[in-house]
Amino acid sequence: MAPLPRATSATERSSTARRRIQEYQVTERLIVIGGDAAGMSAASQARRLKGPDELEILAFERGRFTSYAACGIPYWIGGLIGERDELVARAPEVFREKQSIDVRTGHEVVGIDTGARTVTVRDLAAGEEAEHAYDQLLVATGATPLRPPVPGIDADGVFGVQTLEHGQKVLDALADRDPQRAVVIGAGYIGIEMAEAMLLRGLEVHVVEMADQPMSTLDPEMGDLVADAMRRMGMHLHLGVAVEGIATGEDEWIRGVVTADGTLEADIAVLGTGTRPFSDLAADAEIPIGPSRGIVTDRRQRTPVDGGWAAGDCAETFHRVSRSPVSIALGTIANKQGRIAGLNLGGSYSAFPGVLGTAVTKVCEMEIARTGLGETAAQAAGFEVVAETIKGTTRAHYYPDATPITIKTVAERGTGRLLGAQIVGREGAAKRIDVFATALWNEMTVDDLLNVDLSYAPPFSPVWDPILIAARKVDGAVRAAGL
Ligand SMILES: Cc1cc2nc3c(=O)[nH]c(=O)nc-3n(C[C@H](O)[C@H](O)[C@H](O)COP(=O)(O)OP(=O)(O)OC[C@H]3O[C@@H](n4cnc5c(N)ncnc54)[C@H](O)[C@@H]3O)c2cc1C
């Protein structure tokens, strides 16, 4: 390299040096597969740390939207949110113009070659395929809804609600066909949120669930409270009933959901049968998949394959209480993992600390929340457990609108370590789960928890908040059970 000319001023020499550094700078290319929570959090975070001359970012999304809130779909369908675009946090053009992230919607990645470090991408509108080279690859392909493998499940009028496109199809069907009866298949949280949406739209709602309770992530007696509430709201529950098929008319539109107990008439059906990590693309490329079917990553979100990263619903993580590998499809986790992948891709260091499976939902007025392990799950994980349930009120009993709340708390026998909590109640109940989650995160005992200095005034809680009453009751049981 030629020496810097001597006869120039220091400022000129410094700007020439900077130009030369730029010329020799290596620009890496990051390819992101999946343009929602995990993928675009990672892309944005990496961009904050590295400019376009250091890191070129190319994101492929097979749908039309980026950074959309799938979590809002049931409320949009239920009519609580007016416009679809309210659910889009950042449109592709904003990524392109404001962050120099080259987002290509309508582009599906159909193959990964980890040896050659290329991806094959299909332009869905043009029907053409092209190869793109990468230095780093982030797989953020999300989860895919489980479809019961029964005849007719792909019939017209049977809808998943995973993307905004799916949500739009449900709304179109409601507008065009004026359905009177909806069958929701599966009573996980998406199923019960969709049951509420259909009820709000004025349909007769039937919910078919293979388990004996809705919300099978709750212990049975807590699930029963949810079932009772749903029935009181006018929903028809068919619990312990498996779907065997979908009956259609000559136009191939759904007419009924066939179950072991007979056929339920249906003008529309919605799938709420849960999801699994959508890791197929990675698996085909021999990127290791874990026991939960999520892509294996270390705590920095790196896969075992050089240059490969994964985050969000498609990735496996670990449960901080059971210490087991898990894949839990939640936006909370996807956003955090995306941010962490982005920090690492941007040259910083960050590690994902695992999950507790903390989740809240509601069906009409009934709020539901959980964190950590339920009694059954804790036993299955090998803990000796003590569990207690309390009933209280969300405000001082004499204050207007004090509503009932039930809390089940699970602790380890002998040590009193908190293992998990579940809450079912009305307004003001569910978010109390965050106190339990924080205690669990810090591996507190129920004795620690019951002395925490929580706030009190009659409009917000009784003087002994139901959280403290729950901790006190299970602490008593731990003491009575001895070592
Ligand atoms: C109805 C509903 C309600 C929900 N409610 C909540 C809630 O209340 N709280 C909560 O925490 N979570 C909720 N979730 C879950 C939450 O939405 C997800 O956990 C979160 O969106 C996961 O983000 P992700 O980026 O990992 O995956 P996704 O959001 O699924 O995004 C993955 C993206 O990858 C794209 N993609 C997949 N394969 C390819 C490919 N080969 N090429 C190109 N693009 C591809 C997909 O089109 C998709 O846009 C809800 C989900 C649904 C469906």
Side-chain angles (χ1 to χ4, degrees), residues 358-374:
T358 309
V360 286
T361 186
K362 76 184 229 342
V363 53
C364 301
E365 301 306 312
M366 183 58 75
E367 299 185 354
I368 303 146
R370 65 171 312 282
T371 188
L373 302 178

Side-chain angles (χ1 to χ4, degrees), residues 221-377:
E221 68 277 27
M222 299 298 277
D224 288 347
L225 296 177
V226 179
D228 288 346
M230 289 172 78
R231 287 194 186 99
R232 280 201 307 275
M233 290 161 197
M235 297 175 187
H236 304 268
L237 297 196
H238 307 268
L239 301 175
V241 175
V243 169
E244 297 185 341
I246 303 294
T248 53
E250 276 177 9
D251 57 358
E252 298 185 358
W253 191 270
I254 184 170
R255 293 290 188 279
V257 173
V258 184
T259 75
D261 283 0
T263 298
L264 297 166
E265 266 178 54
D267 304 319
I268 185 171
V270 181
L271 294 174
T273 33
T275 60
R276 69 164 176 83
F278 188 40
S279 53
D280 308 24
L281 193 62
D284 289 346
E286 293 181 4
I287 297 172
I289 305 299
S292 69
R293 295 189 73 176
I295 301 168
V296 172
T297 67
D298 65 9
R299 294 198 181 187
R300 297 184 71 192
Q301 302 303 135
R302 284 180 304 204
T303 72
V305 173
D306 232 20
W309 303 72
D313 288 1
C314 64
E316 184 166 272
T317 183
F318 75 98
H319 197 285
R320 285 173 67 97
V321 183
S322 70
R323 313 307 289 182
S324 307
V326 288
S327 291
I328 300 180
L330 284 173
T332 47
I333 300 170
N335 278 289
K336 290 189 188 101
Q337 287 185 342
R339 175 180 170 272
I340 283 168
L343 283 168
N344 291 312
L345 282 159
S348 186
Y349 179 92
S350 189
F352 186 68
V355 300
L356 297 171
T358 309
V360 286
T361 186
K362 76 184 229 342
V363 53
C364 301
E365 301 306 312
M366 183 58 75
E367 299 185 354
I368 303 146
R370 65 171 312 282
T371 188
L373 302 178
E375 187 176 0
T376 323

Side-chain angles (χ1 to χ4, degrees), residues 43-312:
S44 297
Q45 188 59 57
R47 172 56 77 236
R48 274 182 215 118
L49 296 174
K50 283 189 176 171
D53 46 356
E54 267 190 284
L55 186 69
E56 184 191 346
I57 307 179
L58 192 50
F60 294 109
E61 164 55 51
R62 65 182 174 192
R64 283 170 51 206
F65 303 97
T66 51
S67 291
Y68 53 91
C71 316
I73 292 173
Y75 308 105
W76 172 41
I77 294 176
L80 299 172
I81 296 152
E83 295 299 324
R84 179 188 61 204
D85 287 351
E86 290 177 45
L87 300 181
V88 179
R90 199 166 297 175
E93 53 276 16
V94 182
F95 283 111
R96 283 194 285 268
E97 285 157 23
K98 297 234 159 85
Q99 293 180 277
S100 302
I101 296 171
D102 183 358
V103 181
R104 303 201 191 160
T105 50
H107 282 68
E108 182 171 12
V109 177
V110 292
I112 304 170
D113 183 336
T114 56
R117 293 207 183 196
T118 57
V119 292
T120 306
V121 183
R122 185 175 298 144
D123 177 338
L124 297 174
E128 287 162 6
E129 285 189 6
E131 259 184 21
H132 297 266
Y134 65 82
D135 298 292
Q136 307 293 330
L137 174 73
L138 174 71
V139 184
T141 45
T144 188
L146 294 171
R147 296 177 85 83
V150 297
I153 196 71
D154 294 323
D156 292 343
V158 180
F159 296 101
V161 282
Q162 207 66 22
T163 63
L164 297 188
E165 284 93 341
H166 295 156
Q168 188 61 60
K169 283 184 185 159
V170 176
L171 281 172
D172 291 346
L174 293 174
D176 297 346
R177 301 190 68 104
D178 191 25
Q180 303 298 306
R181 280 169 65 113
V183 175
V184 177
I185 303 173
Y189 79 92
I190 292 179
I192 67 169
E193 288 175 7
M194 283 308 302
E196 170 181 329
M198 293 292 144
L199 201 68
L200 290 176
R201 287 280 174 183
L203 278 75
E204 181 181 317
V205 176
H206 291 254
V207 181
V208 186
E209 166 59 54
M210 208 157 69
D212 291 331
Q213 63 174 84
M215 296 293 296
S216 56
T217 51
L218 298 178
D219 285 329
E221 68 277 27
M222 299 298 277
D224 288 347
L225 296 177
V226 179
D228 288 346
M230 289 172 78
R231 287 194 186 99
R232 280 201 307 275
M233 290 161 197
M235 297 175 187
H236 304 268
L237 297 196
H238 307 268
L239 301 175
V241 175
V243 169
E244 297 185 341
I246 303 294
T248 53
E250 276 177 9
D251 57 358
E252 298 185 358
W253 191 270
I254 184 170
R255 293 290 188 279
V257 173
V258 184
T259 75
D261 283 0
T263 298
L264 297 166
E265 266 178 54
D267 304 319
I268 185 171
V270 181
L271 294 174
T273 33
T275 60
R276 69 164 176 83
F278 188 40
S279 53
D280 308 24
L281 193 62
D284 289 346
E286 293 181 4
I287 297 172
I289 305 299
S292 69
R293 295 189 73 176
I295 301 168
V296 172
T297 67
D298 65 9
R299 294 198 181 187
R300 297 184 71 192
Q301 302 303 135
R302 284 180 304 204
T303 72
V305 173
D306 232 20
W309 303 72

